[in-house]
Amino acid sequence: MIRLEVRTGDAAGARVESGEELVRLGRNASNELALADPHVSAEHASIIHTGESYVLRDHHSTNGTHVRREGALHDLTDEPGRALALVDGDVILLGELDGAVEITVLLSEEDEDDGARIVSSRNVDALQEVEAAAERELLAQLYEAQKEISAAGDVDEVLDAVAAAVFRFLSRATHVTLALREPGEDGRYQASSRYVPMGTRVRDAGRAADAIPITRSVFKKVVRERAAVLAADARRDVGETAALMAAQILSTIGVPLWQGDEILGVLQADNRAAQGIFKETDLEVLALLAQTASQGFVRAGLVGRLRVAEERQRNENTYLKAREERRRGGIIGESKAMKEVFDLLRKVVATRVTVLIEGETGTGKELVASAVHYESPRRAKLFVAQNCAALPENLLESELFGHKKGSFTGATDDKKGLFELAHGGTLFLDEVGEMPLSLQAKLLRVLQEGEVRPIGAARPRNVDTRIVAATNRDLEAEVREGRFREDLFYRLKVFPIRLPPLRERREDIPLLAGHFLRRYAEEFGRRVDGFGQAAMEQLQAYRWPGNVRELENEVQRLVIQLEDDPIVKPQHLSARVRDAEGSLIDRVKPKGALKEKIQALEMEILREALADHDGNKSQTAKTLGITREGLHKKLKNYGMTCPVLASETALAAPCSSAPSGRASRASVPFAATTTWRPSC
């Protein structure tokens, strides 16, 4: 029996007296001790009777739970499991210490006697001696029963097998009831948890609808004394049916279930219908079964936790794969530059060669890397991505190659590296140019030998992992400067793919903007019909130094900002986009005859193309669709042998992708999204 007296707070003077196994404390009216104080959580804490003691447990309350005992203060956030066994005279403090609700704990030392007369008991430490005294024939039958118990999968199946054995060996047994410690959040039995009835089996009737309460005095003796107990039970504990009330003498046996030194449950066999009491041999037989039953219930708990973990892992894998499917849902683009990228991807996805993706930040390198994986024969295995610039050298080495327990401070367990996790799949190394030189040597070994050596490991491990690397640096320049290994550079650049910046594929801007507008309008529940013609021209005029990622962020902001107007207009755009220079003709404003105007425009186009490629004439000629000799001739004709590069603000191509007709003068609706897949 426990008595709680509220000393401070809104409920000061209130008293609760309970003999139940659970007393809840909190602001909700459903609690056994309801406290209206605002700094008390709705389900703040609970007091659990474990059979051995009353335990106070904090339920991750907002303002904390403390216990004052003989001048010392115990903070439950520092206690194992946030729980503390209570003693008589403890003061519970709920909420912030300054103004906490104080509750005095008074425990009754009297053992509640519910009428059970103890006939015999066997200490759990002596139960091992029972088996040696058992008869050979009985042992053979017990062996068969133990095999059935061992074959059971979950708690209900173990209880079914145990009950069947009890009814087979104990002719007077009519009911078998199981109580187990309540598992914690991780599914493990906790010493501070209360015992919960798990179910009852009835002879010739199977599973009872509700678990029959275990005889309290027998239960307490089993738990406190760690003993198997045989007792004559009181008739008032039997029930109200005429058949049961007709019994003259009824008896019960309670045996502990244990794991190591912990009592994890109690198994009770009742005689609730037949005359006569259980005998000493019945106690010994049930004690023998309890040894196997204990192992069975521990194993069932382990299997249950494994099943929950597997189900959670399956759900997580399904979620991650679905998220990756959404992320990779197609690469958008119809420009000549992107069609060249698509052609390269078609050629390489079915191979296992190393791919190096080069491009500026925000061009979609990870999207292309995931396409290389998910369109390849490795799609069923993992696609693992790691940004080499995101971790310091020591952590990056452990992340990539793994480590052995104790290999360095903090290595408390063995850990698989990403190369091993991606075995059979693909490892994407983003920003590989940021990798320290010491790790570059280990990466080279993986590429050459196909093996990794975890930190602290004595032997290397073979891996079959495809490498896709990406960089926004000029690795050739890094090699010349001595910041990147030349041998690794040639190992990585087996099949290079250059992703063009958005300014080189302006004709894709309406497609990309329409795609992002559609996605975020649906996500945010907004109605957006499309872009106005002027707004789209400004989007195409902007240089987009952040490339596709910057465009996506701009469109996301637009959808959030739009309220009543379903058409995106120039005033809705960011200031940096609005301030971008207009179309080529508007900027150049050529004068004179037609030939002079065309020459002025062509000169500006040449300047812009050279600026886009930092003066690289080969790349400029390729982008313009002319030969290098043709480019030299044009530059010479215009006196641009030493060209002045255009400013950082790009010149916009005419908005040729806008729809024709009267509708195009009002707005540019959602563009039809074109996506690439190698199977197309």
Side-chain angles (χ1 to χ4, degrees):
M1 183 69 67
I2 186 171
R3 187 164 68 250
L4 304 175
E5 297 180 356
V6 183
R7 296 168 51 177
T8 62
D10 292 348
R15 296 186 178 185
V16 171
E17 189 172 299
S18 176
E20 300 298 323
E21 295 179 353
L22 176 66
V23 179
R24 296 169 297 175
L25 296 75
R27 204 170 58 250
N28 283 350
S30 58
N31 291 302
E32 282 74 21
L33 179 54
L35 304 164
D37 304 77
H39 55 279
V40 174
S41 298
E43 299 288 343
H44 196 107
S46 61
I47 299 175
I48 301 164
H49 186 222
T50 67
E52 300 166 324
S53 62
Y54 284 96
V55 175
L56 174 66
R57 173 168 293 168
D58 177 75
H59 294 307
H60 297 277
S61 59
T62 303
N63 296 313
T65 301
H66 298 76
V67 172
R68 188 165 61 233
R69 178 182 300 168
E70 297 179 353
L73 195 64
H74 298 267
D75 185 352
L76 263 67
T77 59
D78 298 331
E79 299 291 334
R82 304 175 75 97
L84 180 69
L86 296 172
V87 300
D88 190 55
D90 279 348
V91 177
I92 301 171
L93 294 90
L94 303 183
E96 298 176 352
L97 290 176
D98 185 14
V101 174
E102 297 186 6
I103 304 169
T104 301
V105 177
L106 301 173
L107 300 177
S108 172
E109 297 296 331
E110 298 180 2
D111 189 14
E112 297 177 16
D113 186 3
D114 52 11
R117 177 172 55 86
I118 304 301
V119 177
S120 177
S121 73
R122 294 288 182 90
N123 188 276
V124 71
D125 298 327
L127 293 181
Q128 303 290 344
E129 303 174 3
V130 175
E131 185 172 352
E135 299 178 1
R136 182 177 299 274
E137 182 179 354
L138 177 60
L139 285 177
Q141 296 176 6
L142 283 170
Y143 175 70
E144 293 300 321
Q146 289 171 346
K147 287 199 300 183
E148 295 175 4
I149 295 171
S150 299
D154 57 24
V155 172
D156 282 335
E157 291 178 359
V158 175
L159 181 54
D160 287 339
V162 170
V166 172
F167 294 144
R168 184 187 315 162
F169 295 115
L170 277 63
S171 59
R172 292 184 176 87
T174 59
H175 297 69
V176 174
T177 300
L178 169 70
L180 288 176
R181 283 196 185 275
E182 190 174 34
E185 294 180 359
D186 60 354
R188 299 179 184 276
Y189 300 117
Q190 297 181 335
S192 61
S193 300
R194 61 175 178 155
Y195 291 90
V196 179
M198 301 300 294
T200 297
R201 303 295 183 265
V202 183
R203 183 186 290 273
D204 301 327
R207 300 182 181 182
D210 297 308
I212 295 176
I214 290 180
T215 306
R216 180 169 296 180
S217 58
V218 174
F219 170 77
K220 287 183 178 180
K221 192 171 184 66
V222 170
V223 173
R224 288 180 180 175
E225 299 184 11
R226 300 168 54 82
V229 175
L230 167 61
D233 202 357
R235 280 199 317 178
R236 61 186 174 85
D237 287 333
V238 174
E240 299 300 329
T241 65
L244 296 180
M245 289 298 292
Q248 295 295 318
I249 299 175
L250 301 161
S251 58
T252 184
I253 300 176
V255 294
L257 305 171
W258 64 91
Q259 181 182 16
D261 294 332
E262 292 293 334
I263 301 297
L264 61 88
V266 175
L267 185 69
Q268 177 173 304
D270 291 342
N271 169 14
R272 299 204 172 210
Q275 291 190 0
I277 66 171
F278 290 125
K279 300 179 180 179
E280 290 275 344
T281 54
D282 296 327
L283 176 65
E284 293 175 354
V285 169
L286 194 57
L288 279 173
L289 286 174
Q291 297 181 36
T292 304
S294 298
Q295 299 170 8
F297 287 119
V298 170
R299 185 174 57 255
L302 176 61
V303 170
R305 293 197 300 274
L306 287 175
R307 286 175 177 170
V308 170
E310 288 176 354
E311 181 64 24
R312 181 164 56 244
Q313 187 177 40
R314 279 195 297 270
N315 292 338
E316 289 176 354
N317 287 342
T318 300
Y319 166 75
L320 291 174
K321 286 183 178 180
R323 187 183 68 176
E324 196 61 40
E325 287 284 342
R326 291 193 298 269
R327 288 178 61 191
R328 75 181 182 95
I331 305 172
I332 298 172
E334 288 185 340
S335 62
K336 180 181 177 182
M338 288 307 298
K339 287 178 179 177
E340 291 177 358
V341 172
F342 299 158
D343 185 55
L344 291 174
L345 286 173
R346 289 190 183 93
K347 294 174 181 177
V348 77
V349 289
T351 70
R352 59 159 298 168
V353 302
T354 302
V355 177
L356 178 63
I357 305 171
E358 300 172 300
E360 297 178 5
T361 299
T363 51
K365 295 188 289 293
E366 185 168 352
L367 188 64
V368 173
S370 65
V372 172
H373 172 76
Y374 285 105
E375 301 300 340
S376 75
R378 295 172 174 260
R379 67 177 66 88
K381 300 296 183 178
L382 286 179
F383 172 74
V384 181
Q386 175 61 48
N387 189 322
C388 297
L391 295 175
E393 180 177 346
N394 57 336
L395 292 181
L396 181 60
E397 182 178 6
S398 172
E399 195 71 18
L400 293 177
F401 305 107
H403 63 251
K404 299 292 291 182
K405 179 180 179 180
S407 57
F408 55 86
T409 303
T412 56
D413 296 289
D414 288 353
K415 177 183 177 180
K416 283 188 176 182
L418 297 183
F419 278 99
E420 288 189 82
L421 290 176
H423 179 72
T426 303
L427 175 59
F428 174 52
L429 298 176
D430 197 9
E431 305 302 345
V432 71
E434 306 284 346
M435 182 177 288
L437 282 169
S438 58
L439 289 188
Q440 292 177 25
K442 297 193 73 171
L443 176 58
L444 180 63
R445 180 176 180 82
V446 178
L447 292 173
Q448 290 176 333
E449 308 296 337
E451 61 183 28
V452 298
R453 186 191 295 270
I455 300 173
R459 297 178 181 177
R461 300 173 183 174
N462 293 326
V463 292
D464 173 23
T465 306
R466 183 180 190 175
I467 303 299
V468 177
T471 181
N472 60 6
R473 292 189 175 191
D474 183 349
L475 289 188
E476 292 188 42
E478 294 295 302
V479 171
R480 289 193 299 270
E481 296 294 330
R483 292 190 292 268
F484 201 83
R485 293 178 63 106
E486 185 176 11
D487 47 4
L488 178 59
F489 170 70
Y490 289 116
R491 280 285 180 178
L492 289 175
K493 201 167 184 176
V494 177
F495 195 94
I497 297 177
R498 177 185 176 274
L499 290 185
L502 192 54
R503 62 182 176 273
E504 293 181 16
R505 44 182 295 219
R506 295 182 187 276
E507 57 267 48
D508 289 333
I509 290 178
L511 290 174
L512 291 164
H515 168 74
F516 295 137
L517 196 68
R518 200 165 40 246
R519 178 204 291 181
Y520 290 113
E522 180 179 351
E523 179 179 333
F524 300 146
R526 301 288 181 88
R527 180 198 165 191
V528 186
D529 293 338
F531 293 88
Q533 181 68 34
M536 181 55 68
E537 287 181 357
Q538 287 191 307
L539 289 177
Q540 289 187 290
Y542 182 56
R543 187 175 178 81
W544 298 110
N547 295 295
V548 179
R549 184 181 298 134
E550 185 183 5
L551 174 61
E552 180 179 2
N553 293 341
E554 175 71 15
V555 174
Q556 185 177 15
R557 188 197 61 79
L558 286 172
V559 175
I560 295 173
Q561 178 178 307
L562 289 173
E563 295 180 350
D564 300 328
D565 196 342
I567 301 297
V568 179
K569 297 177 181 176
Q571 61 266 29
H572 298 137
L573 302 177
S574 300
R576 66 180 184 279
V577 179
R578 291 197 307 269
D579 293 343
E581 297 183 27
S583 68
L584 185 61
I585 294 177
D586 291 337
R587 200 179 70 130
V588 177
K589 296 180 180 178
K591 299 179 181 179
L594 177 61
K595 182 178 179 180
E596 294 171 341
K597 291 183 178 181
I598 292 175
Q599 288 176 346
L601 291 174
E602 189 172 31
M603 289 176 63
E604 205 62 40
I605 291 171
L606 290 173
R607 288 195 181 95
E608 178 183 311
L610 285 166
D612 287 343
H613 295 288
D614 297 324
N616 188 310
K617 296 177 183 178
S618 297
Q619 289 292 337
T620 301
K622 186 178 180 180
T623 300
L624 295 174
I626 60 178
T627 64
R628 181 181 172 88
E629 291 75 14
L631 176 62
H632 272 292
K633 184 177 180 180
K634 287 182 178 293
L635 293 176
K636 184 177 180 181
N637 289 339
Y638 291 130
M640 299 171 63
T641 52
C642 185
V644 178
L645 300 184
S647 67
E648 283 300 307
T649 303
L651 308 179
C655 189
S656 58
S657 55
S660 60
R662 183 169 20 175
S664 67
R665 290 191 290 271
S667 66
V668 179
F670 290 122
T673 302
T674 300
T675 61
W676 171 86
R677 291 184 185 278
S679 56
C680 294

